[in-house]
Amino acid sequence: GHTGGDVIHPHLYVEVKYRQRWEIVSLFEEVRERAAAEGKVPLLVVKGRMSPMLLVVLSLDDLKFWLPKEAKG
């Protein structure tokens, strides 16, 4: 199939972004350390001040683990 995203996937629209520094990565690294201390999967939820939208940050390895087999492509 064709997609405007960076990855061809039957169920997900994926765009990959690269930045030298991104504060959300630093925030997630802190969450990952605290989660590891408790033996849990790290999940970060962020919300912009003026936006009602909540975003979820999860490592790609953890996402692949939680997706149903048919959604992994």
Side-chain angles (χ1 to χ4, degrees), residues 33-72:
E33 288 176 13
R34 291 194 297 268
E38 295 188 20
K40 296 182 178 178
V41 174
L43 182 82
L44 173 63
V45 178
V46 294
K47 180 184 180 302
R49 184 179 307 171
M50 302 301 284
S51 173
M53 186 182 333
L54 296 172
L55 301 175
V56 174
V57 180
L58 181 69
S59 77
L60 184 57
D61 287 338
D62 289 333
L63 175 64
K64 287 191 285 189
F65 176 80
W66 291 103
L67 282 176
K69 184 177 180 179
E70 63 274 4
K72 293 179 185 176

Side-chain angles (χ1 to χ4, degrees), residues 4-55:
D6 296 326
V7 175
I8 294 174
H9 191 280
H11 304 289
L12 300 174
Y13 181 90
V14 179
E15 285 198 23
V16 179
K17 303 294 183 194
Y18 174 79
R19 302 282 188 270
Q20 285 289 351
R21 282 190 50 86
W22 209 5
E23 187 167 342
I24 201 162
V25 173
S26 298
L27 288 170
F28 185 76
E29 287 172 350
E30 292 174 17
V31 171
R32 184 174 58 188
E33 288 176 13
R34 291 194 297 268
E38 295 188 20
K40 296 182 178 178
V41 174
L43 182 82
L44 173 63
V45 178
V46 294
K47 180 184 180 302
R49 184 179 307 171
M50 302 301 284
S51 173
M53 186 182 333
L54 296 172
L55 301 175

